[in-house]
């Protein structure tokens, strides 16, 4: 089988899908080559990620990576979200096929973009 059970689970039952109307930080990244676009919304209170939602237009691996990344940062301090690596996302999914590893990279970049957006709005 090409994909792990965890990838399939997060693809078929993604966690934290949607958007946050009054998000404290929004990160959008895309990869024109593969057509995957990821948008992550953060709700932050006292430097803790209270809520996180995502909207991803892309393949199963992109959706699974987004879902897993949101699960990994929910309830965590913002500083910890910045430490999220694509390797950690891929490992949490029990691995991704080599040609799909860019999906976990997008998830990492989307989280970091959302945190950057939060900092630019609140520390300006």
């Amino acid at each position: 089988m090409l994909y792990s059970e965890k990838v399939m689970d997060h693809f078929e039952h993604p966690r934290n899908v949607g958007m946050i109307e009054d998000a404290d930080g929004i990160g959008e990244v895309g990869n024109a080559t593969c057509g995957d676009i990821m948008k992550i919304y953060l709700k932050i209170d006292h430097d803790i990620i209270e809520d996180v939602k995502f909207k991803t237009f892309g393949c199963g691996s992109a959706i699974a990576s987004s879902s897993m990344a949101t699960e990994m940062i929910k309830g965590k301090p913002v500083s910890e979200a910045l430490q999220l690596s694509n390797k950690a996302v891929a490992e949490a999914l029990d691995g991704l096929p080599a040609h799909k590893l860019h999906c976990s990279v997008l998830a990492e970049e989307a989280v970091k973009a959302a945190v950057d957006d939060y900092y630019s709005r609140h520390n300006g």
Side-chain angles (χ1 to χ4, degrees):
M1 185 165 119
L2 193 58
Y3 295 109
S4 72
E5 281 181 34
K6 275 196 184 163
V7 171
M8 292 309 296
D9 181 41
H10 276 268
F11 168 61
E12 291 169 355
H13 312 283
R15 281 54 144 193
N16 309 307
V17 175
M19 64 182 293
I20 298 173
E21 285 294 336
D22 53 347
D24 295 308
I26 300 171
E28 184 171 1
V29 295
N31 182 327
T33 316
C34 61
D36 295 327
I37 298 167
M38 239 175 241
K39 200 165 191 177
I40 291 198
Y41 302 83
L42 301 176
K43 192 76 189 148
I44 297 168
D45 188 33
H46 294 92
D47 232 31
I48 301 291
I49 296 169
E50 295 280 302
D51 197 13
V52 53
K53 300 263 186 237
F54 79 90
K55 282 190 162 184
T56 293
F57 178 85
C59 66
S61 295
I63 291 164
S65 293
S66 306
S67 174
M68 181 57 84
T70 60
E71 285 288 274
M72 291 171 78
I73 65 169
K74 197 172 196 173
K76 301 279 195 300
V78 175
S79 57
E80 218 170 294
L82 279 176
Q83 304 300 312
L84 182 75
S85 71
N86 65 295
K87 192 170 179 281
V89 173
E91 282 173 5
L93 288 167
D94 293 336
L96 285 169
H99 68 286
K100 291 294 183 182
L101 278 172
H102 67 269
C103 296
S104 61
V105 173
L106 273 182
E108 174 191 331
E109 289 174 350
V111 166
K112 289 183 174 165
V115 171
D116 287 347
D117 182 50
Y118 165 71
Y119 281 138
S120 71
R121 293 182 194 203
H122 296 85
N123 294 345

